[in-house]
């Protein structure tokens, strides 16, 4: 599962989908000063988004996902 999330995140970053994720991730890198650490921060948001989606039997909430990422990017 962890590797699947990594692959999903890298794909999202490569196509900036949901729109704005690449910018948010770049902000996270600046905060963390390490891409690997930033990936793990972003993966926490992705995992939470997927968990909520499954729990609620609803599509993933892209806005909440991006909000989580942006909050983690605040210095």
């Amino acid at each position: 599962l962890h590797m699947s999330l990594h692959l999903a995140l890298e794909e999202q970053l490569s196509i900036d989908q949901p729109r704005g994720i690449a910018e948010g991730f770049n902000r996270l890198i600046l905060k963390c000063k390490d891409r690997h650490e930033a990936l793990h921060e972003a993966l926490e948001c992705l995992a939470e988004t997927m968990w909520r989606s499954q729990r609620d039997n609803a599509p993933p909430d892209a806005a909440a996902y991006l909000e989580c990422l942006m909050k983690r990017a605040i210095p």
Side-chain angles (χ1 to χ4, degrees):
L1 179 64
H2 185 76
M3 186 56 108
S4 297
L5 290 177
H6 263 282
L7 293 172
L9 180 56
E10 290 289 2
E11 174 70 12
Q12 290 173 342
L13 292 170
S14 75
I15 61 172
D16 194 32
Q17 189 63 33
R19 189 156 190 79
I21 191 170
E23 177 188 344
F25 184 69
N26 285 333
R27 290 181 186 185
L28 200 51
I29 291 172
L30 290 173
K31 177 193 172 202
C32 295
K33 301 193 182 358
D34 179 78
R35 188 177 193 279
H36 187 79
E37 183 180 335
L39 275 172
H40 282 273
E41 289 282 324
L43 285 169
E44 289 290 325
C45 293
L46 178 55
E48 181 178 334
T49 300
M50 298 310 298
W51 175 80
R52 288 180 188 278
S53 172
Q54 290 175 348
R55 180 195 68 186
D56 299 341
N57 196 29
D61 185 342
Y65 177 34
L66 290 174
E67 182 180 343
C68 176
L69 192 68
M70 293 300 190
K71 282 182 181 177
R72 286 176 179 258
I74 296 171

